[in-house]
Coordinates of all heavy atoms in Angstrom, one line a residue:
A210 N 18.5 -24.8 -16.4 CA 19.7 -24.2 -15.7 C 20.1 -22.9 -16.5 O 20.5 -21.9 -15.9 CB 20.9 -25.1 -15.7
W211 N 19.9 -22.9 -17.8 CA 20.3 -21.8 -18.6 C 19.4 -20.6 -18.3 O 19.8 -19.5 -18.1 CB 20.1 -22.1 -20.1 CG 20.2 -20.9 -21.0 CD1 19.2 -20.4 -21.8 CD2 21.3 -20.1 -21.3 NE1 19.6 -19.3 -22.5 CE2 20.9 -19.1 -22.2 CE3 22.6 -20.0 -20.8 CZ2 21.8 -18.1 -22.7 CZ3 23.5 -19.0 -21.3 CH2 23.1 -18.1 -22.2
A212 N 18.1 -20.8 -18.3 CA 17.1 -19.7 -17.9 C 17.4 -19.2 -16.5 O 17.3 -18.0 -16.3 CB 15.7 -20.2 -18.1
K213 N 17.7 -20.1 -15.6 CA 17.9 -19.6 -14.2 C 19.2 -18.8 -14.2 O 19.3 -17.9 -13.4 CB 18.0 -20.9 -13.3 CG 16.6 -21.5 -13.1 CD 16.8 -22.8 -12.2 CE 15.4 -23.4 -12.1 NZ 15.5 -24.7 -11.3
L214 N 20.2 -19.2 -15.0 CA 21.4 -18.4 -15.0 C 21.2 -17.0 -15.5 O 21.7 -16.0 -14.9 CB 22.5 -19.0 -15.9 CG 23.8 -18.3 -16.2 CD1 24.5 -17.9 -14.9 CD2 24.7 -19.0 -17.2
L215 N 20.4 -16.8 -16.5 CA 20.0 -15.5 -17.0 C 19.3 -14.7 -16.0 O 19.6 -13.5 -15.8 CB 19.1 -15.6 -18.3 CG 19.7 -16.3 -19.5 CD1 18.6 -16.3 -20.6 CD2 20.9 -15.6 -20.0
D216 N 18.4 -15.3 -15.2 CA 17.7 -14.6 -14.2 C 18.6 -14.2 -13.1 O 18.6 -13.0 -12.5 CB 16.6 -15.5 -13.6 CG 15.4 -15.7 -14.5 OD1 15.2 -14.8 -15.4 OD2 14.7 -16.6 -14.4
S217 N 19.6 -15.1 -12.7 CA 20.5 -14.7 -11.6 C 21.5 -13.6 -12.1 O 21.8 -12.8 -11.2 CB 21.3 -16.0 -11.2 OG 22.2 -16.4 -12.2
C218 N 21.9 -13.6 -13.3 CA 22.7 -12.5 -13.8 C 21.9 -11.2 -13.8 O 22.5 -10.1 -13.5 CB 23.2 -12.8 -15.2 SG 24.5 -14.0 -15.3
G219 N 20.6 -11.2 -14.1 CA 19.8 -10.0 -14.0 C 19.8 -9.5 -12.5 O 19.9 -8.3 -12.3
T220 N 19.6 -10.5 -11.6 CA 19.5 -10.1 -10.2 C 20.8 -9.4 -9.7 O 20.8 -8.4 -9.0 CB 19.2 -11.3 -9.3 OG1 18.0 -11.9 -9.7 CG2 19.2 -11.0 -7.8
E221 N 21.9 -10.0 -10.2 CA 23.3 -9.5 -9.9 C 23.5 -8.1 -10.4 O 24.1 -7.3 -9.8 CB 24.3 -10.4 -10.5 CG 25.8 -10.1 -10.0 CD 26.8 -11.1 -10.5 OE1 26.5 -12.4 -10.4 OE2 27.8 -10.7 -11.2
A222 N 22.9 -7.8 -11.6 CA 23.0 -6.5 -12.2 C 21.9 -5.5 -11.7 O 21.9 -4.4 -12.1 CB 22.9 -6.6 -13.7
G223 N 21.0 -6.0 -10.9 CA 19.9 -5.2 -10.3 C 18.8 -4.9 -11.3 O 18.1 -3.9 -11.1
V224 N 18.6 -5.8 -12.2 CA 17.5 -5.7 -13.2 C 16.7 -7.0 -13.4 O 17.2 -8.0 -13.0 CB 18.0 -5.2 -14.6 CG1 18.6 -3.8 -14.4 CG2 18.9 -6.1 -15.2
K225 N 15.6 -6.9 -14.0 CA 14.8 -8.1 -14.4 C 15.2 -8.4 -15.9 O 15.3 -7.6 -16.7 CB 13.3 -7.8 -14.3 CG 12.5 -9.0 -14.7 CD 11.0 -8.7 -14.5 CE 10.1 -9.8 -15.0 NZ 8.7 -9.5 -14.9
V226 N 15.4 -9.7 -16.1 CA 15.7 -10.2 -17.5 C 14.4 -10.8 -18.1 O 13.7 -11.6 -17.5 CB 16.8 -11.3 -17.4 CG1 16.8 -12.0 -18.8 CG2 18.1 -10.7 -17.1
K227 N 14.2 -10.3 -19.3 CA 13.1 -10.8 -20.1 C 13.7 -11.6 -21.3 O 14.3 -11.0 -22.2 CB 12.2 -9.7 -20.6 CG 10.9 -10.1 -21.4 CD 10.1 -8.9 -21.8 CE 8.8 -9.3 -22.5 NZ 8.1 -8.1 -22.9
R228 N 13.5 -12.9 -21.3 CA 14.2 -13.7 -22.3 C 13.2 -14.2 -23.4 O 12.1 -14.5 -23.1 CB 14.8 -14.9 -21.6 CG 15.4 -15.9 -22.6 CD 15.4 -17.4 -22.1 NE 15.9 -18.3 -23.0 CZ 15.5 -19.6 -23.1 NH1 14.7 -20.1 -22.2 NH2 16.0 -20.4 -24.0
T229 N 13.7 -14.2 -24.7 CA 13.0 -14.8 -25.8 C 13.9 -15.7 -26.5 O 15.0 -15.3 -26.8 CB 12.4 -13.7 -26.8 OG1 11.7 -12.7 -26.0 CG2 11.5 -14.3 -27.8
A230 N 13.5 -16.9 -26.8 CA 14.3 -17.9 -27.5 C 13.7 -18.2 -28.9 O 12.5 -18.3 -29.1 CB 14.3 -19.2 -26.7
F231 N 14.6 -18.2 -29.9 CA 14.2 -18.4 -31.3 C 14.9 -19.6 -31.8 O 16.0 -20.0 -31.4 CB 14.6 -17.2 -32.1 CG 13.9 -15.9 -31.7 CD1 14.5 -15.1 -30.8 CD2 12.8 -15.5 -32.4 CE1 13.9 -13.9 -30.4 CE2 12.2 -14.3 -32.0 CZ 12.7 -13.5 -31.0
D232 N 14.4 -20.2 -32.9 CA 15.2 -21.1 -33.7 C 16.3 -20.3 -34.3 O 16.2 -19.1 -34.7 CB 14.4 -21.8 -34.8 CG 13.4 -22.8 -34.2 OD1 13.7 -23.4 -33.2 OD2 12.3 -22.9 -34.8
T233 N 17.5 -20.9 -34.5 CA 18.7 -20.2 -35.0 C 18.4 -19.5 -36.3 O 18.8 -18.4 -36.5 CB 19.8 -21.2 -35.2 OG1 20.2 -21.8 -34.0 CG2 21.1 -20.6 -35.8
S234 N 17.7 -20.2 -37.3 CA 17.4 -19.6 -38.6 C 16.5 -18.4 -38.5 O 16.6 -17.5 -39.3 CB 16.8 -20.6 -39.5 OG 15.6 -21.1 -38.9
D235 N 15.7 -18.3 -37.4 CA 14.8 -17.2 -37.3 C 15.4 -16.0 -36.6 O 15.1 -14.8 -36.9 CB 13.6 -17.6 -36.4 CG 12.6 -18.5 -37.1 OD1 12.7 -18.7 -38.3 OD2 11.9 -19.2 -36.4
L236 N 16.4 -16.3 -35.8 CA 16.9 -15.2 -34.9 C 17.6 -14.1 -35.6 O 17.4 -12.9 -35.3 CB 17.9 -15.9 -33.9 CG 18.5 -14.9 -32.8 CD1 17.4 -14.2 -32.1 CD2 19.4 -15.7 -31.9
S237 N 18.4 -14.4 -36.6 CA 19.1 -13.3 -37.3 C 18.1 -12.4 -38.1 O 18.3 -11.2 -38.1 CB 20.1 -13.8 -38.3 OG 19.5 -14.7 -39.2
N238 N 17.1 -13.0 -38.6 CA 16.1 -12.2 -39.3 C 15.3 -11.3 -38.3 O 15.0 -10.1 -38.6 CB 15.1 -13.1 -40.1 CG 15.7 -13.7 -41.3 OD1 16.6 -13.2 -41.9 ND2 15.2 -14.8 -41.7
K239 N 15.0 -11.9 -37.2 CA 14.3 -11.1 -36.1 C 15.2 -10.0 -35.6 O 14.7 -8.9 -35.4 CB 13.9 -12.0 -35.0 CG 12.7 -13.0 -35.2 CD 11.4 -12.2 -35.2 CE 10.2 -13.1 -35.3 NZ 9.0 -12.4 -35.3
A240 N 16.4 -10.2 -35.5 CA 17.4 -9.2 -35.0 C 17.5 -8.0 -36.0 O 17.5 -6.9 -35.7 CB 18.7 -9.8 -34.8
L241 N 17.5 -8.4 -37.3 CA 17.6 -7.3 -38.4 C 16.3 -6.5 -38.4 O 16.3 -5.3 -38.5 CB 17.8 -8.0 -39.7 CG 19.2 -8.5 -40.0 CD1 19.3 -9.4 -41.1 CD2 20.2 -7.3 -40.2
L242 N 15.1 -7.2 -38.3 CA 13.9 -6.5 -38.3 C 13.7 -5.6 -37.1 O 13.3 -4.5 -37.2 CB 12.7 -7.6 -38.3 CG 11.3 -7.0 -38.3 CD1 11.1 -6.2 -39.6 CD2 10.3 -8.1 -38.2
A243 N 14.2 -6.1 -35.9 CA 14.1 -5.3 -34.7 C 15.0 -4.0 -34.8 O 14.6 -2.9 -34.4 CB 14.6 -6.1 -33.5
A244 N 16.1 -4.2 -35.4 CA 17.0 -3.0 -35.7 C 16.4 -2.0 -36.6 O 16.5 -0.8 -36.3 CB 18.4 -3.5 -36.2
Q245 N 15.7 -2.5 -37.6 CA 15.0 -1.6 -38.5 C 13.9 -0.8 -37.8 O 13.7 0.4 -38.1 CB 14.4 -2.4 -39.6 CG 13.5 -1.6 -40.6 CD 14.4 -0.8 -41.6 OE1 15.6 -0.7 -41.5 NE2 13.8 -0.3 -42.6
Q246 N 13.3 -1.4 -36.8 CA 12.3 -0.8 -36.0 C 12.8 0.0 -34.8 O 11.9 0.4 -34.0 CB 11.2 -1.8 -35.6 CG 10.6 -2.5 -36.8 CD 9.7 -3.7 -36.5 OE1 9.8 -4.2 -35.4 NE2 8.8 -4.1 -37.4
D247 N 14.1 0.0 -34.6 CA 14.7 0.6 -33.4 C 14.1 0.0 -32.1 O 13.8 0.6 -31.2 CB 14.4 2.1 -33.4 CG 15.3 2.8 -32.3 OD1 16.4 2.2 -32.0 OD2 15.0 3.9 -31.9
N248 N 14.1 -1.4 -32.1 CA 13.5 -2.1 -31.0 C 14.4 -3.4 -30.7 O 13.9 -4.4 -30.5 CB 12.1 -2.6 -31.4 CG 11.3 -3.0 -30.2 OD1 11.5 -2.5 -29.1 ND2 10.4 -4.0 -30.5
S249 N 15.7 -3.2 -30.8 CA 16.6 -4.3 -30.6 C 16.6 -4.8 -29.1 O 16.4 -4.0 -28.2 CB 18.0 -3.9 -31.0 OG 18.1 -3.7 -32.4
A250 N 16.9 -6.1 -29.0 CA 17.2 -6.6 -27.7 C 18.4 -6.0 -27.1 O 19.3 -5.4 -27.8 CB 17.4 -8.1 -27.8
D251 N 18.5 -6.0 -25.7 CA 19.7 -5.5 -25.1 C 20.9 -6.4 -25.3 O 22.0 -5.9 -25.4 CB 19.4 -5.3 -23.6 CG 18.4 -4.2 -23.3 OD1 18.8 -3.0 -23.6 OD2 17.3 -4.5 -22.9
V252 N 20.6 -7.7 -25.2 CA 21.7 -8.7 -25.4 C 21.2 -9.7 -26.4 O 20.1 -10.2 -26.3 CB 22.0 -9.4 -24.0 CG1 23.0 -10.5 -24.3 CG2 22.5 -8.4 -23.0
L253 N 22.0 -10.0 -27.4 CA 21.7 -10.9 -28.5 C 22.7 -12.0 -28.6 O 23.9 -11.7 -28.7 CB 21.6 -10.0 -29.8 CG 21.2 -10.7 -31.1 CD1 19.8 -11.2 -30.9 CD2 21.3 -9.8 -32.2
I254 N 22.3 -13.2 -28.5 CA 23.2 -14.4 -28.6 C 22.9 -15.0 -30.0 O 21.8 -15.5 -30.2 CB 23.0 -15.3 -27.5 CG1 23.2 -14.6 -26.1 CG2 24.0 -16.5 -27.6 CD1 22.8 -15.4 -24.9
V255 N 23.9 -15.0 -30.9 CA 23.7 -15.5 -32.3 C 24.8 -16.4 -32.7 O 25.9 -16.3 -32.3 CB 23.6 -14.3 -33.3 CG1 22.3 -13.5 -33.0 CG2 24.8 -13.4 -33.2

Side-chain angles (χ1 to χ4, degrees):
W211 168 248
K213 290 178 180 177
L214 171 59
L215 296 181
D216 288 339
S217 68
C218 285
T220 299
E221 187 175 310
V224 297
K225 180 181 178 181
V226 165
K227 184 179 182 181
R228 175 205 176 210
T229 308
F231 299 87
D232 289 328
T233 299
S234 58
D235 293 340
L236 183 53
S237 57
N238 288 335
K239 285 288 189 181
L241 287 164
L242 182 61
Q245 176 76 349
Q246 298 171 342
D247 194 22
N248 195 32
S249 293
D251 292 291
V252 177
L253 183 63
I254 303 172
V255 292

